[in-house]
C-alpha cells in the first residue's frame, strides 16, 4: 500500500500521530536494478544504522528473499543482530575491529574489515588461540583518508605474506570519497590505487563501489559492489536525477485547524507572524520524531523552511518545529478542505526525501537515519501483508 493511500485505509483511524510507510517491493526493485547494472558482480546489501533507519529485520529479510547473501554493517552489535536474523549470511563489519573485542566478532561469525596492522595483529592472535584461520576483509586507504590500511603499513602487509598468517582474507576493499560527482579526479585516483592493491591479492573478492560508484562504470565494479542509500530510495548523486524508486513515505495527522488574526504569532520565539488573517493546522509530530528542526520557518532569520502536501496543495511550515508538533499555513486551501484527523504528506511523491534533505540543509542519509520510533511503521510488499514493527 503506497504511503499516499494510507488516508483511505483503516490504518488512518489508528491512535498514532504519524505513519511511516516502507515499500519493500521498491527496496527490492532498487536492489535488482543495481544487480542488473553491475552484471557479473555480486551485490551486497549495506544495512548499517538499522538499515538506514528503516528497520533491520524487514529490510534484511526482503533483501535475502531477493537473493542477497552478503551484507555490510558498521558495528559488531549490528552484526550480531543480523546474524540472529540471517544465520547463513556473510556479514562484514565496515568499521573494522574494536580493540579487545575480537572474541565477540568471532562468536557471531562476523568478518571485520581490518583497517590497520594493529587490527590484523589482534585478529591473528585470536586465530592462533583458536588454532584455525579466521575470515576477515582488508580495508585499504586509497584517498578518502578515513579508515584503511595506508602507506608503509600497506606496503609491509603486501610484501610480507606471513603478516597475514591465520587470517583468511575473503575481501579486499576501499571506499570512494567523491563517487557522487562523476567527473571528480579523486575517483580515477582511487581506482588506480585500488587496482594496484587488488593485484597483490589474486583470487580474493575485491570491492570499491558504493551506490554512486556503481554508476561510474564497469571498471569500478570489481567482484562486489556495496550499495547503501540507493537501496532506500535516496539520490546517490549530486546535481543529477534520482534513478532509484522511492521507498519511504511519511504522513502526519492533523490535530487541529485554527484561525490566527493578523499580527498574531505562531509557535516558539514568535518566529511566524500572520500578515493578515491566516488558518493554521497543527500536525502531531516534531523533532522528537526525528523531523529536523531546521525545516521550520523563522521570520527573524529570513528562513523559509519546509513544506507539506495536503488536500492536493502545498502548505508551508509556519514557525519553529517543536518536539511534538508542527504548524503549517493552510490559508491558501479552500475553507473546509482539511479537517482534524486528516493526514499531511511530509515525505512522499509530492515532497521527496531529497527535497526534505535540501530544505533541512543536509542529505537524504541523515533524514532516513533520524526517523524516530514513535511513528506507526507500516511495511508493504516483498511477500508480506501490511505489518508494523
Amino acid at each position: 500500500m503506497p504511503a499516499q493511500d494510507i488516508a483511505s485505509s483503516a490504518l488512518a483511524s489508528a491512535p498514532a500521530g504519524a505513519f511511516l510507510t516502507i515499500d519493500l517491493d521498491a527496496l527490492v526493485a532498487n536492489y535488482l536494478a543495481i544487480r542488473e547494472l553491475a552484471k557479473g558482480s555480486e551485490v551486497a546489501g549495506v544495512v548499517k544504522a538499522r538499515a538506514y533507519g528503516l528497520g533491520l529485520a524487514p529490510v534484511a529479510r526482503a533483501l535475502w528473499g531477493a537473493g542477497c547473501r552478503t551484507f555490510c554493517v558498521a558495528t559488531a552489535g549490528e552484526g550480531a543482530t543480523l546474524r540472529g536474523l540471517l544465520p547463513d549470511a556473510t556479514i562484514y563489519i565496515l568499521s573494522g575491529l574494536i580493540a579487545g573485542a575480537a572474541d565477540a566478532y568471532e562468536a557471531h561469525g562476523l568478518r571485520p574489515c581490518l583497517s590497520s596492522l594493529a587490527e590484523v595483529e589482534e585478529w591473528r592472535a585470536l586465530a592462533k588461540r583458536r588454532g584455525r584461520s579466521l575470515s576477515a576483509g582488508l580495508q585499504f586507504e586509497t584517498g578518502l583518508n578515513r579508515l584503511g590500511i595506508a602507506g608503509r603499513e600497506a606496503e609491509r602487509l603486501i610484501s610480507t605474506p606471513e603478516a597475514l598468517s591465520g587470517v583468511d582474507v575473503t575481501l579486499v576493499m576501499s571506499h570512494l570519497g567523491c563517487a557522487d560527482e562523476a567527473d571528480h579526479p579523486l575517483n580515477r585516483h582511487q581506482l588506480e590505487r585500488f587496482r594496484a592493491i587488488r593485484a597483490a591479492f589474486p583470487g580474493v573478492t575485491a570491492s570499491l563501489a558504493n551506490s554512486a560508484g556503481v554508476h561510474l562504470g564497469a571498471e569500478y565494479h570489481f567482484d562486489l559492489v556495496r550499495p547503501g542509500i540507493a537501496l532506500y530510495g535516496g539520490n546517490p548523486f549530486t546535481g543529477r536525477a534520482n534513478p532509484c524508486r522511492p521507498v519511504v513515505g511519511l504522513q502526519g495527522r492533523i490535530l487541529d485547524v485554527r484561525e490566527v488574526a493578523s499580527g498574531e504569532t505562531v509557535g516558539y520565539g514568535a518566529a511566524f507572524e500572520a500578515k493578515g488573517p491566516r488558518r493554521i493546522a497543527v500536525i502531531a509530530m516534531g523533532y522528537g520524531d526525528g523531523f529536523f528542526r531546521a525545516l521550520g520557518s523563522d521570520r527573524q532569520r529570513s528562513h523559509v523552511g519546509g513544506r507539506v502536501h495536503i488536500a492536493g496543495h502545498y502548505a508551508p511550515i509556519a514557525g519553529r518545529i517543536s518536539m511534538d508538533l508542527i504548524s503549517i499555513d493552510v490559508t491558501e486551501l479552500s475553507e473546509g478542505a482539511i479537517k482534524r484527523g486528516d493526514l499531511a504528506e511530509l515525505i512522499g511523491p509530492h515532497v521527496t526525501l531529497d527535497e526534505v534533505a535540501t530544505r533541512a540543509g543536509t542529505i537524504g542519509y541523515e533524514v532516513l537515519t533520524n526517523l524516530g520510533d514513535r511513528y506507526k511503521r507500516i511495511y508493504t510488499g516483498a511477500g508480506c501483508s501490511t505489518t508494523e514493527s
Side-chain angles (χ1 to χ4, degrees):
M1 177 178 54
Q4 62 267 31
D5 293 337
I6 295 179
S8 61
S9 76
L11 292 170
S13 62
F19 299 92
L20 180 67
T21 304
I22 296 99
D23 184 347
L24 296 177
D25 279 346
L27 172 89
V28 168
N30 289 333
Y31 176 80
L32 296 177
I34 293 168
R35 193 164 72 183
E36 179 66 20
L37 186 61
K39 269 186 176 177
S41 301
E42 184 182 358
V43 180
V46 179
V47 293
K48 60 185 179 178
R50 299 172 295 116
Y52 283 50
L54 303 193
L56 180 60
V59 166
R61 287 173 178 145
L63 291 173
W64 181 269
C68 183
R69 295 295 178 264
T70 299
F71 294 81
C72 300
V73 294
T75 69
E78 292 176 343
T81 301
L82 182 58
R83 175 62 68 212
L85 297 168
L86 301 176
D88 298 321
T90 297
I91 303 172
Y92 286 101
I93 310 301
L94 296 176
S95 295
L97 182 63
I98 298 294
D103 286 326
Y105 290 67
E106 188 259 347
H108 297 285
L110 308 177
R111 301 183 185 185
C113 294
L114 305 172
S115 298
S116 68
L117 288 188
E119 292 184 15
V120 171
E121 287 299 320
E122 185 170 342
W123 199 242
R124 283 185 62 200
L126 179 62
K128 185 176 181 179
R129 292 199 304 273
R130 296 288 186 263
R132 59 182 176 84
S133 293
L134 295 177
S135 297
L138 295 177
Q139 182 167 194
F140 286 90
E141 163 55 41
T142 58
L144 183 59
N145 284 303
R146 202 172 56 175
L147 285 180
I149 303 167
R152 291 181 180 177
E153 283 198 347
E155 293 173 6
R156 175 183 164 191
L157 198 64
I158 290 170
S159 63
T160 314
E162 57 268 27
L164 288 167
S165 175
V167 179
D168 177 20
V169 179
T170 56
L171 177 70
V172 174
M173 66 164 287
S174 189
H175 194 72
L176 293 166
C178 296
D180 57 324
E181 301 177 49
D183 297 328
H184 199 289
L186 185 59
N187 295 325
R188 179 61 53 177
H189 175 72
Q190 289 192 261
L191 175 63
E192 297 305 326
R193 279 191 170 186
F194 188 68
R195 280 175 170 162
I197 292 166
R198 192 267 181 96
F201 296 90
V204 176
T205 298
S207 179
L208 179 63
N210 53 7
S211 290
V214 175
H215 292 263
L216 291 177
E219 60 185 340
Y220 286 84
H221 294 168
F222 293 94
D223 306 302
L224 178 128
V225 298
R226 312 184 311 270
I229 191 67
L231 296 176
Y232 308 105
N235 192 346
F237 304 115
T238 299
R240 291 174 55 183
N242 189 351
C244 310
R245 279 181 53 175
V247 174
V248 172
L250 177 60
Q251 292 182 303
R253 193 188 299 279
I254 301 297
L255 292 175
D256 191 22
V257 183
R258 61 182 54 230
E259 303 292 332
V260 174
S262 179
E264 290 291 310
T265 61
V266 175
Y268 289 121
F272 177 90
E273 182 179 347
K275 304 298 184 183
R278 312 304 291 176
R279 272 183 294 117
I280 301 295
V282 181
I283 300 174
M285 55 177 282
Y287 63 76
D289 303 279
F291 200 74
F292 289 94
R293 191 169 180 268
L295 289 162
S297 63
D298 192 330
R299 64 187 176 91
Q300 297 168 355
R301 295 185 293 121
S302 299
H303 181 66
V304 176
R307 61 181 183 171
V308 307
H309 192 265
I310 186 167
H313 298 274
Y314 289 102
I317 293 174
R320 295 179 185 174
I321 291 173
S322 55
M323 185 180 294
D324 312 302
L325 301 171
I326 299 172
S327 296
I328 59 173
D329 186 348
V330 295
T331 309
E332 303 307 316
L333 279 68
S334 59
E335 193 166 354
I338 64 169
K339 63 184 184 304
R340 173 174 172 262
D342 286 350
L343 295 172
E345 175 193 312
L346 291 99
I347 302 175
H350 304 97
V351 185
T352 68
L353 170 65
D354 295 301
E355 176 186 325
V356 172
T358 298
R359 287 175 177 266
T362 185
I363 55 178
Y365 302 72
E366 189 176 11
V367 175
L368 289 178
T369 56
N370 273 275
L371 294 171
D373 296 327
R374 294 199 296 186
Y375 302 123
K376 181 177 178 64
R377 290 178 173 236
I378 303 155
Y379 293 90
T380 66
C384 70
S385 57
T386 300
T387 57
E388 179 186 356
S389 70

